[in-house]
Amino acid sequence: MKSNQTKSLYFKILFLSVCSLTLSCSWDRFVLSRVNESTTVKVKAAKELLDKDKITIVLTGTGSPLPSESIQNSTAIFVNGQFLLFDAGDGVAMAMEKLHLPVSEIGAVFITHFHSDHFADLGEVIDRSWLLGRQKPLTVHGPKGISDLVNGFLKSYQLEYHYRTKHHGEAVMPSQWKGAKTNEFSPKSDGSSKIIYEKDGVVVHGFFVNHEPVEPAVGYRVEYKGKSIVISGDTANSEFLKKQSFGADYLISEVMNKSMIAKVEKAYESIENPRLAKIMKDIQLYHIDATELGNLAEAAKVKTLVLTHMIPFVKGYVQTKAIYKDPIQKVFHGELIIAHDGKRIEIPLP
Ligand SMILES: [Zn+2]
Ligand SMILES: [Zn+2]
């Protein structure tokens, strides 16, 4: 009897050991295959985006400060092997990783103005690019105030930088590349542009836009091999934006349907919420209406107009058509793209 019990125990142990070994082997194989798969996907995505034969625009965030499902404002442009990021609203750092963008390759960030929906995730963009392997300097360009903003982020990340290098060592987390430098510039008040960035044929100009009382506020124009992409930043209808957008291949612009926001304002008044009614009234003063934008793009002979930072945020064919497509296409005859988070636009180069 005793011998039978011993035998049974022996078989149980043997059985459990075999199971555990099999499970452990299958987990090893699972982890290895996932690591391989994710590395392959990232390498392939980076190769595609850093391809020098085309420019790729990725709308990394199309939201605004108003509640919506979208990541706040941000646009990535890949040009001649360079990764340029325009604005860094809340959620963009994680969004870029989900989109498999080569975050460690970011070389320059351009901030349009100091509303938080355009810079809230800047600290994470700077930090994550380093954690994921950035081994080159990162410069954050922006109008007056950018140095204070970046230095504030760097101060709040001081301990984070220290712990990472101390734990992983200089070879893995070189302290030399942590943080970011700044390039603070003053846009010209006459509406003409200024070269902010120039590298291997890629030129980025900065120009003043009217987002009063937010000043400074700027837009950017990227040029390479005869192609031009304009980023409006946040702006009211502006002659400066029209001038800088003249003949642009792409104008990536904020937009508001003001008659719809006026209705929202009245609705808040009628339910006696004066605070939100006041906010809805105020925001109509410093954004560009859909019809105004259509007229601007038509007058500037813009080839493709890309809508981002849409206020209000709507989705669905019928709503998008009524609120943005119809008013714009009544006056603008170029191509219209209504962007969503992660939207990619490829521009072949001659
Ligand atoms: Zn904004
Ligand atoms: Zn703004």
Side-chain angles (χ1 to χ4, degrees):
M1 186 66 184
K2 201 171 179 186
S3 161
N4 279 348
Q5 276 178 342
T6 310
K7 265 188 196 169
S8 158
L9 186 64
Y10 170 78
F11 281 119
K12 270 183 195 163
I13 291 170
L14 186 67
F15 177 73
L16 286 172
S17 304
V18 170
C19 282
S20 145
L21 194 65
T22 311
L23 206 60
S24 155
C25 286
S26 65
W27 272 114
D28 286 350
R29 277 202 301 275
F30 173 74
V31 171
L32 181 63
S33 78
R34 290 307 299 265
V35 167
N36 266 335
E37 192 185 309
S38 106
T39 307
T40 310
V41 168
K42 282 179 196 155
V43 168
K44 186 171 174 275
K47 198 171 167 231
E48 261 178 46
L49 291 164
L50 299 170
D51 178 356
K52 294 185 175 181
D53 292 334
K54 62 183 177 188
I55 299 173
T56 305
I57 302 168
V58 183
L59 280 297
T60 37
T62 57
S64 74
L66 295 190
S68 81
E69 292 169 13
S70 299
I71 303 295
Q72 288 185 345
N73 207 248
S74 182
T75 302
I77 298 185
F78 295 86
V79 50
N80 197 22
Q82 298 164 42
F83 182 169
L84 313 179
L85 187 70
F86 294 83
D87 280 334
D90 192 27
V92 72
M94 272 300 143
M96 289 195 294
E97 289 177 43
K98 282 185 187 160
L99 291 166
H100 303 300
L101 306 194
V103 174
S104 61
E105 293 298 322
I106 294 179
V109 179
F110 301 81
I111 299 294
T112 58
H113 65 294
F114 304 113
H115 268 148
S116 62
D117 56 312
H118 297 259
F119 71 76
D121 227 7
L122 181 58
E124 277 297 280
V125 168
I126 295 169
D127 190 44
R128 296 290 301 172
S129 62
W130 179 63
L131 292 180
L132 293 171
R134 176 169 54 79
Q135 298 220 352
K136 59 181 179 180
L138 172 61
T139 303
V140 182
H141 305 259
K144 191 169 164 25
I146 197 69
S147 297
D148 284 347
L149 180 79
V150 171
N151 289 336
F153 275 119
L154 299 191
K155 200 166 180 196
S156 67
Y157 276 75
Q158 252 176 13
L159 288 174
E160 150 78 355
Y161 300 146
H162 169 73
Y163 297 140
R164 299 290 182 189
T165 303
K166 193 175 175 197
H167 186 197
H168 300 291
E170 278 288 342
V172 176
M173 293 286 168
S175 48
Q176 179 187 6
W177 306 122
K178 70 179 190 289
K181 298 186 295 181
T182 57
N183 171 30
E184 188 164 290
F185 66 91
S186 302
K188 291 186 177 172
S189 55
D190 63 359
S192 59
S193 66
K194 195 175 200 177
I195 293 179
I196 305 304
Y197 171 97
E198 213 169 0
K199 190 179 175 192
D200 301 332
V202 178
V203 180
V204 180
H205 304 254
F207 59 88
F208 181 84
V209 293
N210 177 13
H211 194 38
E212 206 180 323
V214 180
E215 202 181 324
V218 301
Y220 293 101
R221 194 176 73 249
V222 183
E223 291 174 346
Y224 182 64
K225 286 195 172 175
K227 299 287 179 189
S228 55
I229 302 156
V230 175
I231 311 263
S232 72
D234 279 4
T235 180
N237 193 14
S238 151
E239 280 302 311
F240 294 164
L241 178 63
K242 183 161 89 182
K243 184 176 166 190
Q244 294 300 328
S245 303
F246 196 81
D249 292 283
Y250 288 83
L251 167 58
I252 300 168
S253 182
E254 69 120 297
V255 64
M256 173 181 274
N257 184 310
K258 289 190 180 175
S259 67
M260 188 56 66
I261 294 300
K263 287 186 201 335
V264 178
E265 179 196 337
K266 293 279 170 295
Y268 279 124
E269 273 172 10
S270 70
I271 62 162
E272 295 182 1
N273 188 331
R275 184 178 178 275
L276 286 179
K278 171 84 167 84
I279 291 173
M280 291 302 139
K281 183 187 174 75
D282 292 345
I283 63 175
Q284 294 171 56
L285 300 175
Y286 63 10
H287 289 293
I288 188 164
D289 177 63
T291 303
E292 289 172 338
L293 179 61
N295 279 321
L296 182 150
E298 181 68 12
K301 302 186 191 309
V302 166
K303 295 184 184 79
T304 302
L305 175 59
V306 183
L307 304 187
T308 184
H309 196 290
M310 287 161 273
I311 305 175
F313 169 83
V314 288
K315 58 179 193 176
Y317 178 79
V318 175
Q319 294 90 328
T320 311
K321 183 175 183 312
I323 292 177
Y324 296 114
K325 213 171 174 182
D326 287 350
I328 289 176
Q329 287 187 328
K330 228 178 237 178
V331 292
F332 173 63
H333 301 103
E335 189 190 355
L336 176 66
I337 295 175
I338 298 173
H340 54 80
D341 291 358
K343 168 80 182 165
R344 280 190 190 202
I345 299 166
E346 291 189 352
I347 310 168
L349 288 170

